[in-house]
Every structure is written in C-alpha cells, then in structure tokens.
Amino acid sequence: MYIGKFWLLLALRLASPALGNPLDLDIVKHLETHCKPGAKMTDSKYFTTTKKGEIFELKAELNSDKKEKKKEAVKKVIASMTVGKDVSALFPDVVNCMQTDNLELKKLVYLYLMNYAKSQPDMAIMAVNTFVKDCEDPNPLIRALAVRTMGCIRVDKITEYLCEPLRKCLKDEDPYVRKTAAVCVAKLHDINAQLVEDQGFLDTLKDLISDSNPMVVANAVAALSEIAESHPSSNLLDLNPQSINKLLTALNECTEWGQIFILDCLANYMPKDDREAQSICERVTPRLSHANSAVVLSAVKVLMKFMEMLSKDLDYYGTLLKKLAPPLVTLLSAEPELQYVALRNINLIVQKRPEILKHEMKVFFVKYNDPIYVKLEKLDIMIRLASQANIAQVLAELKEYATEVDVDFVRKAVRAIGRCAIKVEQSAERCVSTLLDLIQTKVNYVVQEAIVVIKDIFRKYPNKYESVIATLCENLDSLDEPEARAAMIWIVGEYAERIDNADELLESFLEGFHDESTQVQLQLLTAIVKLFLKKPTETQELVQQVLSLATQDSDNPDLRDRGYIYWRLLSTDPVAAKEVVLAEKPLISEETDLIEPTLLDELICYIGTLASVYHKPPSAFVEGSRGIVHKSLPPRTGSSESAESPDAAPSGAPPSEQPAVIPTQGDLLGDLLNLDLGPPVSGPPVATSSVQMGAVDLLGGGLDSLMGDESEGLRSDVGGSPAIGGTGFTAPSAVMPANLGPPPSGGLGDLFDLAGGVGTLSGSHVAPKTVWLPAMKAKGLEISGTFSRQVGAISMDLLLTNKALQVMSDFAIQFNRNSFGLAPAAPLQIHAPLAPNQTVEISLPLNTVGSVMKMDPLNNLQVAVKNNIDVFYFSTLYPLHILFVEDGKMERQMFLATWKDIPNENEAQFQIKDCPLSADAVSSKLQGSNIFTVAKRNVEGQDMLYQSLKLTNGIWVLAELRIQPGSPSFTDLEVSRLYFPPPFFRCIQLLSSFHP
C-alpha cells in the first residue's frame, strides 16, 4: 500500500530525538490507513516553503470555511512545527479545527496540541471539552486517539479533566481503546502519581491482566511494570501462579511488543519450586523461534533465570541447553548493529553457561566484511569458548587474523593467542610456536604484542619456554611501545642468570631513563635490582646508577618510593632483599577479564536491555536510578547461595574472603541522610595478612639487656612478629575491624578464646559528659554524652533532655562510617515517650563491626538521631582508649623482635608535661586503660617503660616511656602510618594525667 510522502516525512521528523517529539507508534500504524493509494508524491512542498508573512496567511486559511483548505493549512502548520519553526501563535486557530469528522485532520490537530500544550496551558484548556466529547465518539479509533492525546499533554490542569474519560475508556467495550487507556494510566502516573492512586486506576489496571484480549493484557503488564520501576516498594505486580498462567496464555496471541512486555514481567517472577520453573520454561521455549530478535532475547533471559532452579541431572535441562543454541546463532545472521547487540548478550551467556554454545565455535569466526566492533566481540567469545577439543581450529583462525591489515584487530588476535595458551595448558607449546612464527614476520606491532603475551606465558608456565628468550632479545631495538618495552625488561630481569649480556641490555634502556614512561621506569628499576641480587659483583655500579636516577632525579612519587624501598632493603639486609624481590610469584589466572560473579548474575537478569550491551548495571548509567532494585538470579536447586554460579569457582574450593578497603571520606552528610535507622547487622570477621620486612635495629641494642641471652636467638627471628598496621609492620595497609559481636555476651573473650583475665573490671578513664547536640540545633532535643569501656565492652553513655513543648518518641540512632567501624550493638531503647523538660539517661552498647572509612581526625564520629519530630546530625570525638583491648600485652620476645622491625619513619616523639606521677603509678594508671608495661628498666637515673597496646582492629602500638624524676616526659612512640600519632599522644597524656 502506498504511503503519502507528507506522512512519511512527518514520521521521520517527529521520530528524531533532536526534536524531543517521539512519534506515537499507533500514529505510525495508521499512516497507511489514511493515505490514499495512488496519491501523488507532492506533499514535500509543505516542508520546503520559506515565505515571509506565512503565519498570517495560515491564520486565514485555518479559519476558512472550506474543509480542504483548512486541512491543507493544518498540514503546513505541522510541517513548520516539525522543522523547528515557532507556530505557537496559531494555537487558538488550530484548536478550532478539532471540531471535525475527518480522522486525518483530527490526528494532525492532536499532534499540534501535544507539542504546544505545555507552553500554552491556558489555551489547552479550550480543547478539553472536545477531548471529553471524542472519548464518547462511536468510532473506537477516535476514542483511543482522544484518551491517548490527553495522556500525552503533560499539563496539570488537563489531568483533572482526564480522570472520568480515562475511567470509561478502561472499561470500554473495544479492546483497542482499553489497551490505549492502559498505557495512558502509566503516563498519568508519571505526571501525578497521587491522583492515579486516589482514583483507583491501579486496581483497574490490575484487573486488566485478566482481560480476554491478549494485547490489553500486554499493555496492562507494560503499564504496571513502568509504574513499579519508578516505585520499587509498591509491589504492584503481585504475581502468583494464576496470574502467571494468564500471562502465558496471552503470550501466544499478542504482538511482538506485547510478548516482550509479558516476557520481561515473567523474568521478575520467582517460581515456588523447580516444577513450576520447568513448566514456565516449556511454555516460553516456543518464543525462541520468533522472527523478532528482541522477543528471542527476552525469552532467553527468562530461560537463563529459571534454569538456575533446574537440576542439572534432569533430562529437560540438557534439552533446554540444546534449544538455546540455535536462536542465538540465528541472531548472528542479522545486520552488523544487531549482531553486535547479540554478541554482547552472548558474551554474558557464555560466561555464565559456556556449555550452551560449546559446539558452535565456527559461527564466531570473523568474516572479512565484519565491522571492527563485531570482529573484536567475536574474538572475545572465541577465547571464552576455547577448549582442548577445538583449540587447534581456534589457533589456525587466530594465526590467520594476525596477518590482517587492521592494526587493532591484529593486536587483539595476537593477544588472543596468548590467552589461549594460558587457558588451555595442552595448547601452550603450540601457541608459543605460533607466536614465534609471528615474531619472524618482523611486523613491528605484531612483534611487540607477541612479546607482551609471551611474558604472561612465562608467568603461567615458569621454567618451561625460556628457550625462546634469545629470539625475543633479537628484537629489542624495534620495541617502541611502553607495554612491550616493560614486558621485555621484565623478561630480562626475571631470567638475568640465563642471559649472558643482561647487564648490557638493561644498561641500554637506562641511557634514556627520563624519557621512558613510568611503566618502563618502574620495571627497569625492579629488573636491575633483580640483576644485582643475582650477579652482585658485576652490576654494583649499574644498581647504584638506577637507584640514584629513581630517588634523586625523578619527581614521580611511585618511582621514588620504590627506589627508596629497594635502597633500604639492599643497604640493611641483602638476604631479606633477595627473599622479597626474588620471591616466587603466584601463577596468573586463566581469565583476567571475566565479569565478577555477582554482577554477572545481575546482568543476566537484564539480557536484551542496554545493561547487557554496556555490561554495567542500570544504576551505573541511568540518571536518577536510586530507586532501581538490583536483580539477581534465583537460588540454584540444592544450594543456599542465591547469586553464586556453581561454575564461578573450582569444585571444592573454599570461598575466599575478599579484603575490604577503607574507603576515602566522601559526602558524609549524604551518607547520613541515607542511613537505615534500624538495628545494626554484624558482619563476618576479616582476616589480616602480613608482609615481612628486614630486621632494622633502631635502638642500637638498647633493649637487648631486657631479654638477656634470649635476644641473640631472636635477632633474626622476624617471622614471629604480630600484626602491626602500616608499612614496615606485619599488617595490610587497609585495616579491618574484628567481628566482636554484641559485647554483653562474652565480648573479646569469645573472639580471642582467652582463658581468663579478659573479662575483669578495669579502671578505664571515663571523661565527664559534654553537650554534643544543643537544644537550639535540634528543635528542643539536647544530647550530652561520653564514652566508656568496662569489662571489655564499649558503651556510649547518653543524657537526652526534652527542652521542647511537645512530647518526643520513636527514637533511633545510627553512626556514619568511621575509622574503626564503631556501630550501635543494639537499638536505642527509650521505653516511654520523653515529656517536655524530662531527662533520660541511657547506656548504648557499641561494637566495631560497622562500615569502615578513614576519618579526619581519625577518632571523629558522625551520628544521626531520629525521633518523631525530625532527624538530627552531630559529630563528636571519641577517646582512643575505648578501643584498647584487654589482651594487648605482648610477649617480651615478640616485643623485641617487632620493635626491631619498625622503620624510622614510623617513629614519633612527644613530651608530656605536668605529670607528677612516678613510673609505677603511671604504669598502673595506664594498665587500667589496657596500655600494658612489657618491661621496665632504669638507665642513668631515667625510668624507662616499654609498653604495648592492641586496638580492636588488630593493630599493635609499641611505646617507650622515659620518666625523669621531677620532669617526666614521654619521648618515643612507635606507631603505624594510619595517622593517629597526635590523637594517640593526647590519649596517653590524658590517661597519665587524670586524677581519679
């Protein structure tokens, strides 16, 4: 059927996103209906006119008595509107044209109204009566057109007139009107959600799911899904087996868009058992053969999700795997753009279930005329599907690709060969041989990529393929890319003992040291240090030269720090340096670019959407996505894990705990505003790892006399040191809190399994209460408080006073993330409402299992308190001694070994004045706050106390306190690099000076 050129041009213009006027799909559907066959293609004239004074002419024509002339005028107005001309001045005249029986003219006028109603809301009211009248027209097309147009006019004044016509259209006898009204409810909800709820439209929409017409069902599902996305907590789509059965019945009869809406809705349903999941899969499977790729991907999404609930032992499970492959393969015969979308989705599917496409390798072979983005995506999937069964075929293809003319594609192909070697061990030798053949081509970028991947092969298979090093060294002069140069330097340094002229090779790189990239400089520094440790007599001058260049002539902090570390290691303990620098390296993993399992499970739930193309969750790229609910796959049959793929980790491997990292201080007020003011949830304990450093005697033997002859045996025993935070100690730079649990139920004794003594009452200093939140800043609520530690339990002692004229109730408290993970161990218990002028005293138990973030100052705590009036925020500083645990006394031998390990940069010195106490009194007072004296001695009239303490997060602090009778001072303090020497010093000063 012939389509008039005017309508075709209008459709294209309105569909352009630049104009912001997306064309309604129903209008496009009726374009053919209202364009006469055989019409001449002369309507383009409406878009090319440039006459001056045209507005006045159009005004006259719009008010003409002749219907044809009026229709021509409206066409000209719409044409001017679509090319960007302002024809809003004609609004009253165009509205007057609504009173017509001509459906084509009415559609044009409605288009005009949708475009200009927002800028002319008062004028738009004029059209309301016509809308209401059209909603009762005998022609269902006009009724649907009227209600759709009213829904598209985003003017508040119009919406109140829309309710009655919409209510009638939702129960209209014609299904076309009902399906249009269903979508209109979603549009109205976007404009005025409260109005939709008050008018009961949501209940009517739910009733439409049981409609006899499948398209009405599909549109009702689409509308409810749209509303539910903007209001995740509303639970509008309360699906049950009965409603699911209705949706599956409608699935077979509705249009392709309707099928997509229903399938997406099904993907959000959680079957009650594997039998129901299998039943749904059986009824969805026929959609895989649909001609529309969007329907296919939506069906795949449903099946991928429900397969999680099916046992792999079922025959149906294997049948379903076989049925999934052909439709995915068929998608690759479409246009390149569709191929790319399909490939991005297939990439996710292959990572989750590679067995689906394991026999379809050939369809991912690259064609000569594929666009580069399709080629690269196919290459990635080929590697994921590579196995011992098909590796020969894959390698032959990759070698062919490496001779192509497209540089980016060739680079990716060469890297793919290396990835095959790492993934399939049996193919490693053949891969290395292929790479050597490619190096012999002497094509510069091929050679460089080959060297980079050979370095990774050396890491995966040490002492196996080093015979190729000589060939690599021949191409040294041709390397000009930083990554290739760094890889070659690593190879030379790592295998320096096998390369006769390794020093000459590295020296050649050293000549232009300052012109190299940071990546090459760092690699060169490490390689020369390795060379020196392997051949110390021949390369002493070379290592001094590179250390000088790195530490004195460089302004790069990473390079300078690494240079200083190597310099200190080599100058103090070469044996320790050798153990550190030449330590055995862990083997690299097979797949380094796999999507993290939890994210992969979420992305599987978004197959067929932009999230599956970007490989990012919607919250990462959708503006205003705070309401988006994160989806996950259902739990696998027989497993307690809800989102963990059984293929993500080797069978029988214990789940490794991921070390959390202390986050940087961000938008703290924003964090507090989003706090969940419920009771805290304790997390699992996180184990700390340790890094050993060479022994450094900072005291010159000052402690040896404390230990007698035992110290000789401990001088080289570095491995027994406990965990100390910061560089130079034996703890990671990111320090995690231990899981203490609620203190009243055993406290630290449960965690450390201590035999006794830990639960005893200690005389820890408790500061007097101070005002934290003045009444004038909290609408009459005044909060005073202090912190204490008793019997191994930390508590916040609060005094709440109501200075307002109204009763306060419904109290809750929450802490923001802080340096030591302090969090309430129980809700804020105020059993009776707080009357005006009433004060209540509460002791809130705390633990250290909350979220961790380094604060400034370190002991800063930000608190949110909620009551029936508002939420209030304040911050306070807590004393560090509440974090000193009761088992903080270190063994003497351990103390000596650890003290010697601490580098100079971790030493801080302070003086305490006005402390008239003796050494014994100070020792006793500090022990009351869990600062323990490990040893004591007198040197030249000075009492010297060697003390240790341990924080709740496992950090140890060692200190030396020198007390001169009559002038006591605290001179030496050894701490980690967590920036708390000043607050720690103030804590010691307070504890040693207070008078109980």
Side-chain angles (χ1 to χ4, degrees):
M1 184 175 285
Y2 173 74
I3 300 179
K5 191 172 182 182
F6 172 79
W7 283 106
L8 187 59
L9 289 170
L10 177 59
L12 293 174
R13 293 280 186 183
L14 290 178
S16 169
L19 294 176
N21 295 315
L23 186 63
D24 196 296
L25 287 174
D26 288 323
I27 293 176
V28 177
K29 183 186 290 184
H30 292 291
L31 288 182
E32 286 189 5
T33 308
H34 303 287
C35 291
K36 297 176 182 177
K40 295 180 181 178
M41 297 184 65
T42 58
D43 286 345
S44 60
K45 64 185 179 184
Y46 298 114
F47 296 95
T48 56
T49 178
T50 56
K51 289 169 60 179
K52 293 184 178 179
E54 191 177 12
I55 296 293
F56 298 102
E57 292 181 14
L58 288 172
K59 193 178 185 73
E61 291 177 12
L62 287 168
N63 292 304
S64 171
D65 295 331
K66 296 180 180 178
K67 291 185 178 180
E68 280 303 316
K69 200 168 185 180
K70 189 180 287 190
K71 182 177 173 182
E72 290 292 308
V74 174
K75 282 190 176 184
K76 291 176 183 177
V77 171
I78 298 296
S80 299
M81 181 181 78
T82 58
V83 296
K85 290 182 183 178
D86 182 11
V87 286
S88 58
L90 297 171
F91 196 95
D93 306 289
V94 175
V95 169
N96 288 334
C97 297
M98 287 179 68
Q99 302 292 340
T100 178
D101 296 329
N102 188 307
L103 186 57
E104 185 181 7
L105 179 57
K106 195 177 284 286
K107 284 187 176 184
L108 290 169
V109 175
Y110 279 2
L111 278 175
Y112 179 89
L113 281 173
M114 281 189 273
N115 194 56
Y116 283 115
K118 197 166 187 179
S119 60
Q120 306 259 1
D122 295 327
M123 298 294 292
I125 296 295
M126 295 168 50
V128 167
N129 286 334
T130 308
F131 281 131
V132 174
K133 182 181 175 184
D134 284 351
C135 285
E136 297 180 357
D137 193 277
N139 187 339
L141 289 176
I142 292 179
R143 296 202 299 272
L145 181 64
V147 76
R148 179 176 58 244
T149 307
M150 288 182 78
C152 291
I153 297 176
R154 303 178 66 84
V155 177
D156 290 336
K157 293 180 181 179
I158 295 282
T159 55
E160 52 193 73
Y161 295 99
L162 174 61
C163 295
E164 280 309 313
L166 180 58
R167 184 176 285 107
K168 290 180 182 177
C169 290
L170 282 169
K171 298 179 180 179
D172 196 281
E173 60 183 16
D174 192 284
Y176 180 77
V177 180
R178 295 200 301 274
K179 85 175 185 65
T180 307
V183 175
C184 189
V185 173
K187 293 178 179 177
L188 183 59
H189 188 276
D190 193 39
I191 302 169
N192 191 336
Q194 192 60 46
L195 179 66
V196 170
E197 292 171 16
D198 294 343
Q199 293 289 333
F201 288 145
L202 293 179
D203 293 329
T204 310
L205 208 54
K206 291 178 184 177
D207 293 339
L208 289 181
I209 292 181
S210 303
D211 197 276
S212 58
N213 187 283
M215 274 312 303
V216 177
V217 175
N219 277 24
V221 167
L224 285 170
S225 299
E226 183 76 20
I227 296 170
E229 278 187 16
S230 58
H231 294 75
S233 59
S234 59
N235 195 27
L236 290 174
L237 279 166
D238 187 14
L239 299 173
N240 53 55
Q242 291 73 31
S243 59
I244 288 295
N245 187 51
K246 291 174 184 175
L247 293 182
L248 288 167
T249 303
L251 186 63
N252 298 321
E253 301 175 33
C254 56
T255 65
E256 52 197 31
W257 281 110
Q259 292 182 38
I260 292 168
F261 293 141
I262 292 175
L263 287 168
D264 287 347
C265 180
L266 288 172
N268 295 324
Y269 176 63
M270 182 68 70
K272 63 179 184 293
D273 54 32
D274 58 343
R275 184 175 297 178
E276 186 183 4
Q278 180 175 338
S279 174
I280 294 173
C281 288
E282 287 171 349
R283 297 178 70 177
V284 168
T285 303
R287 300 303 103 206
L288 293 174
S289 57
H290 201 282
N292 188 306
S293 55
V295 176
V296 173
L297 285 177
S298 293
V300 169
K301 172 169 59 181
V302 175
L303 297 174
M304 286 290 294
K305 188 169 182 180
F306 291 169
M307 279 175 72
E308 289 292 309
M309 299 186 67
L310 302 180
S311 170
K312 288 189 175 182
D313 299 330
L314 285 174
D315 293 338
Y316 180 72
Y317 182 87
T319 305
L320 195 55
L321 286 179
K322 293 176 183 176
K323 287 184 178 180
L324 277 170
L328 293 173
V329 170
T330 304
L331 292 176
L332 299 182
S333 59
E335 298 84 2
E337 294 79 10
L338 287 179
Q339 280 189 54
Y340 179 73
V341 172
L343 287 166
R344 293 293 283 175
N345 282 274
I346 288 170
N347 200 325
L348 296 175
I349 294 166
V350 165
Q351 289 186 55
K352 184 67 181 174
R353 300 199 180 280
E355 62 269 25
I356 292 175
L357 291 164
K358 64 180 180 181
H359 299 302
E360 305 292 341
M361 175 65 80
K362 283 189 176 181
V363 300
F364 298 106
F365 287 172
V366 171
K367 298 176 183 175
Y368 74 95
N369 58 348
D370 281 338
I372 182 64
Y373 55 86
V374 172
K375 286 182 177 179
L376 296 179
E377 203 60 37
K378 282 185 173 181
L379 207 54
D380 203 31
I381 295 172
M382 283 173 62
I383 304 306
R384 300 201 190 287
L385 292 175
S387 63
Q388 189 175 351
N390 58 25
I391 192 65
Q393 201 176 23
V394 172
L395 277 180
E397 276 291 308
L398 293 177
K399 189 173 181 181
E400 191 70 27
Y401 300 160
T403 61
E404 294 278 343
V405 293
D406 191 310
V407 175
D408 289 336
F409 180 55
V410 170
R411 288 178 182 277
K412 184 98 174 192
V414 175
R415 295 220 172 192
I417 294 172
R419 286 174 62 188
C420 283
I422 292 167
K423 184 177 181 182
V424 185
E425 184 174 353
Q426 294 82 354
S427 72
E429 190 169 343
R430 187 181 298 178
C431 291
V432 171
S433 175
T434 303
L435 290 170
L436 289 177
D437 291 342
L438 293 174
I439 289 174
Q440 297 303 326
T441 63
K442 301 297 181 184
V443 178
N444 187 263
Y445 55 86
V446 174
V447 171
Q448 302 197 74
E449 288 297 327
I451 287 175
V452 171
V453 298
I454 286 175
K455 181 203 76 170
D456 291 337
I457 293 173
F458 285 170
R459 287 283 309 276
K460 178 68 176 177
Y461 309 110
N463 304 315
K464 198 167 183 182
Y465 300 109
E466 284 73 16
S467 57
V468 306
I469 292 176
T471 307
L472 302 183
C473 292
E474 293 172 5
N475 297 277
L476 206 58
D477 296 335
S478 65
L479 304 181
D480 54 15
E481 294 174 8
E483 193 176 5
R485 291 172 72 83
M488 192 67 229
I489 290 168
W490 181 88
I491 291 170
V492 173
E494 187 69 16
Y495 300 102
E497 70 279 7
R498 305 186 186 194
I499 304 173
D500 296 335
N501 60 337
D503 52 343
E504 295 175 10
L505 296 176
L506 293 178
E507 194 171 4
S508 66
F509 284 103
L510 204 58
E511 292 170 0
F513 185 79
H514 292 301
D515 299 326
E516 300 283 3
S517 68
T518 303
Q519 180 184 9
V520 176
Q521 288 176 334
L522 289 167
Q523 200 61 262
L524 188 56
L525 172 62
T526 302
I528 291 178
V529 171
K530 287 179 182 177
L531 178 64
F532 171 72
L533 292 170
K534 293 175 180 179
K535 302 178 180 180
T537 55
E538 306 167 24
T539 54
Q540 189 166 355
E541 185 178 336
L542 187 62
V543 77
Q544 287 177 346
Q545 185 182 352
V546 75
L547 288 173
S548 175
L549 288 169
T551 56
Q552 298 173 21
D553 301 341
S554 174
D555 57 358
N556 184 293
D558 291 336
L559 182 63
R560 204 167 54 241
D561 286 354
R562 187 180 292 191
Y564 280 127
I565 290 171
Y566 284 152
W567 202 319
R568 169 157 294 193
L569 270 173
L570 294 172
S571 60
T572 51
D573 193 342
V575 176
K578 200 164 187 177
E579 291 176 357
V580 171
V581 179
L582 300 182
E584 187 175 342
K585 295 162 189 63
L587 301 181
I588 62 175
S589 62
E590 292 180 4
E591 295 281 1
T592 56
D593 59 344
L594 287 176
I595 295 174
E596 190 269 326
T598 307
L599 175 59
L600 179 61
D601 286 351
E602 183 176 359
L603 292 178
I604 291 292
C605 298
Y606 287 108
I607 283 177
T609 68
L610 272 179
S612 66
V613 178
Y614 291 154
H615 286 187
K616 293 178 181 178
S619 56
F621 60 87
V622 178
E623 291 185 9
S625 59
R626 290 181 62 177
I628 287 180
V629 177
H630 290 281
K631 300 180 181 180
S632 61
L633 295 179
R636 171 159 285 288
T637 302
S639 169
S640 60
E641 302 271 345
S642 63
E644 195 68 33
S645 166
D647 305 321
S651 177
S656 59
E657 293 179 350
Q658 297 296 323
V661 179
I662 298 178
T664 55
Q665 191 166 353
D667 182 2
L668 302 179
L669 182 59
D671 289 336
L672 283 171
L673 289 172
N674 293 321
L675 288 175
D676 177 11
L677 294 173
V681 180
S682 60
V686 182
T688 57
S689 59
S690 61
V691 178
Q692 305 296 341
M693 295 294 288
V696 183
D697 188 358
L698 300 177
L699 299 178
L703 278 181
D704 289 358
S705 59
L706 289 175
M707 310 301 177
D709 296 336
E710 293 175 340
S711 62
E712 288 299 317
L714 292 166
R715 192 179 295 270
S716 61
D717 184 13
V718 183
S721 304
I724 307 288
T727 303
F729 300 119
T730 55
S733 58
V735 181
M736 294 297 102
N739 178 11
L740 301 184
S745 65
L748 289 165
D750 293 338
L751 178 70
F752 293 103
D753 194 22
L754 300 172
V758 176
T760 59
L761 182 68
S762 59
S764 177
H765 169 60
V766 180
K769 291 185 176 73
T770 56
V771 176
W772 288 341
L773 182 65
M776 61 182 296
K777 292 185 178 180
K779 300 181 181 180
L781 175 65
E782 181 179 278
I783 300 179
S784 305
T786 187
F787 295 89
S788 63
R789 184 183 184 94
Q790 298 291 339
V791 199
I794 307 171
S795 61
M796 174 190 270
D797 303 320
L798 297 169
L799 207 63
L800 276 66
T801 304
N802 182 0
K803 295 187 176 182
L805 298 178
Q806 59 180 315
V807 174
M808 295 182 180
S809 61
D810 303 327
F811 284 89
I813 192 168
Q814 183 69 53
F815 296 172
N816 198 6
R817 296 177 292 173
N818 53 81
S819 303
F820 293 92
L822 275 178
L828 187 61
Q829 301 275 354
I830 300 179
H831 299 291
L834 196 61
N837 298 317
Q838 185 182 351
T839 298
V840 63
E841 192 166 357
I842 302 150
S843 182
L844 179 69
L846 307 181
N847 58 29
T848 53
V849 300
S851 299
V852 178
M853 178 175 71
K854 186 163 69 65
M855 303 293 288
D856 186 17
L858 196 75
N859 54 337
N860 186 24
L861 179 65
Q862 297 180 326
V863 184
V865 174
K866 179 180 83 76
N867 62 13
N868 61 320
I869 299 174
D870 206 346
V871 180
F872 309 105
Y873 306 96
F874 65 89
S875 63
T876 183
L877 300 178
Y878 53 87
L880 276 181
H881 69 266
I882 65 170
L883 303 171
F884 300 167
V885 299
E886 283 71 13
D887 67 333
K889 186 169 184 179
M890 190 180 287
E891 294 292 332
R892 287 191 174 196
Q893 292 85 350
M894 192 72 76
F895 186 98
L896 175 61
T898 306
W899 186 278
K900 290 183 177 183
D901 288 348
I902 303 174
N904 291 330
E905 55 264 32
N906 283 60
E907 179 180 338
Q909 298 188 353
F910 304 100
Q911 286 190 339
I912 297 176
K913 299 179 180 178
D914 303 323
C915 180
L917 301 177
S918 66
D920 291 338
V922 168
S923 177
S924 175
K925 196 179 289 288
L926 293 180
Q927 185 164 341
S929 293
N930 297 331
I931 302 173
F932 299 95
T933 301
V934 177
K936 173 186 172 184
R937 66 174 180 158
N938 188 285
V939 179
E940 298 177 356
Q942 281 188 334
D943 289 326
M944 302 183 68
L945 302 178
Y946 295 93
Q947 296 176 309
S948 70
L949 64 93
K950 183 181 178 184
L951 293 160
T952 54
N953 57 10
I955 290 181
W956 287 86
V957 180
L958 311 185
E960 179 188 72
L961 182 65
R962 297 181 185 175
I963 300 178
Q964 179 72 41
S967 178
S969 64
F970 180 81
T971 58
D972 282 344
L973 174 64
E974 307 295 342
V975 296
S976 70
R977 286 173 65 183
L978 273 179
Y979 305 112
F980 61 77
F984 177 75
F985 160 63
R986 288 192 292 271
C987 175
I988 297 292
Q989 187 173 30
L990 171 70
L991 294 176
S992 60
S993 304
F994 84 95
H995 299 281

